[in-house]
Amino acid sequence: MLGPIRVLDGDTAHEVSARKIEVLLAVLLVRAGQVVAPGQLMTEIWGEDLPRRATAGLHVYISQLRKFLARPGQADSPIVTTQPGYVLRLGSDQLDVQDFKRLVADGRASRRAGLPEQAFTRYQEALALWRGPALGDQRSGPVLTAFAGWAELARLECAEELVECAFDLGRHREYVGYLYAMTTENPFREAFYRQLMLALYRSGCQAEALQVYQTARSVLNDEFGLEPCRTLRDLQRAILLGDPRLEAVAA
């Protein structure tokens, strides 16, 4: 789910070729273990303007999806019909998004326990699960749009926490290039500007750190008429004053 939707069976990857069936699979995966009403599924597939035979069409798509998910020797389908709709039961199967959540939680627990190297590794493993935008381009309905929005926010938070762990380990210079890329890709996310300013300052690049602040200020002002947040303004002031508290703490 952390990229274009695919099903892995051992080392073999399978993808759904029909868009509407892929949307159906995506919704059932997002709601795995929960009953999803037919009306909600039809809205995700067709939007508010349902075709005349939408219910019959949904039954056909459910049947085709069951065939796609069938495995030799497996008698029962993971898609179960139950009142008031359908539920996808994972059984022993796993979702990459669940692995991502577990790794992020492990990373946070390790950092709280004073184990930055272990936390750094967990965050790296979590980000390595991503193959592109969550669900690929299947994010038109309210359920899938909400999931994709949550997933993207979780990915960015994980990236921020990875960088904080790198700073805990004194690896500021290594992440300058990465943070330049993150500020370019996410120009309204002020946390990455803050981290880039700090990484540059601790790498002996005071002027470049101040230039990053000006870039952030220009972007926010031009787009929204806003000044940078207080955290960024305080960091700029501290850099100008050469505040000793900005120096990296030895790992």
Side-chain angles (χ1 to χ4, degrees):
M1 298 170 71
L2 302 180
I5 298 172
R6 65 180 185 179
V7 177
L8 293 178
D9 185 7
D11 294 329
T12 305
H14 304 275
E15 297 181 356
V16 182
S17 57
R19 182 189 178 280
K20 288 182 172 61
I21 298 177
E22 186 179 17
V23 170
L24 174 61
L25 174 59
V27 178
L28 291 173
L29 288 172
V30 169
R31 293 285 188 261
Q34 304 174 37
V35 179
V36 187
Q40 191 170 37
L41 291 172
M42 289 187 284
T43 298
E44 294 290 322
I45 294 171
W46 287 288
E48 297 296 332
D49 188 17
L50 298 180
R52 186 173 57 181
R53 296 181 55 81
T55 300
L58 176 62
H59 292 161
V60 171
Y61 294 152
I62 289 286
S63 177
Q64 292 175 332
L65 185 56
R66 281 175 170 150
K67 290 178 182 178
F68 172 76
L69 295 175
R71 297 177 187 170
Q74 183 184 44
D76 299 326
S77 172
I79 301 176
V80 178
T81 303
T82 183
Q83 289 298 326
Y86 303 93
V87 59
L88 189 151
R89 294 176 178 167
L90 289 174
S92 60
D93 294 326
Q94 295 176 301
L95 298 178
D96 56 359
V97 68
Q98 293 178 339
D99 293 336
F100 173 78
K101 290 180 180 180
R102 175 182 54 78
L103 288 166
V104 170
D106 288 349
R108 288 169 178 165
S110 296
R111 192 159 184 244
R112 285 195 300 268
L115 301 170
E117 188 71 58
Q118 183 171 308
F120 180 82
T121 299
R122 293 295 175 271
Y123 290 133
Q124 276 191 319
E125 291 171 347
L127 291 172
L129 294 173
W130 286 76
R131 298 171 289 106
L135 305 180
D137 59 357
Q138 302 297 356
R139 49 177 72 192
S140 55
V143 172
L144 300 188
T145 298
F147 173 81
W150 166 83
E152 179 60 17
L153 180 61
R155 182 185 72 85
L156 294 175
E157 289 175 348
C158 182
E160 290 173 16
E161 292 174 43
L162 171 76
V163 173
E164 292 298 328
C165 284
F167 288 0
D168 291 343
L169 298 167
R171 299 169 64 174
H172 305 86
R173 191 180 297 272
E174 292 178 41
Y175 276 81
V176 168
Y178 176 80
L179 287 166
Y180 267 120
M182 294 304 284
T183 56
T184 300
E185 295 168 11
N186 307 277
F188 309 134
R189 196 163 182 90
E190 292 172 272
F192 289 128
Y193 289 114
R194 178 189 66 80
Q195 290 178 327
L196 178 55
M197 289 170 65
L198 193 55
L200 286 166
Y201 181 79
R202 290 178 175 176
S203 300
C205 304
Q206 180 177 351
E208 289 87 343
L210 293 172
Q211 181 58 52
V212 169
Y213 176 82
Q214 294 302 327
T215 298
R217 185 173 185 270
S218 177
V219 168
L220 294 170
N221 197 271
D222 290 347
E223 292 292 332
F224 307 109
L226 296 174
E227 289 296 315
C229 67
R230 181 172 180 177
T231 301
L232 275 185
R233 298 198 307 270
D234 288 347
L235 180 55
Q236 183 219 25
R237 189 176 302 111
I239 290 173
L240 288 169
L241 297 173
D243 193 326
R245 289 174 296 180
L246 295 181
E247 296 301 326
V249 177

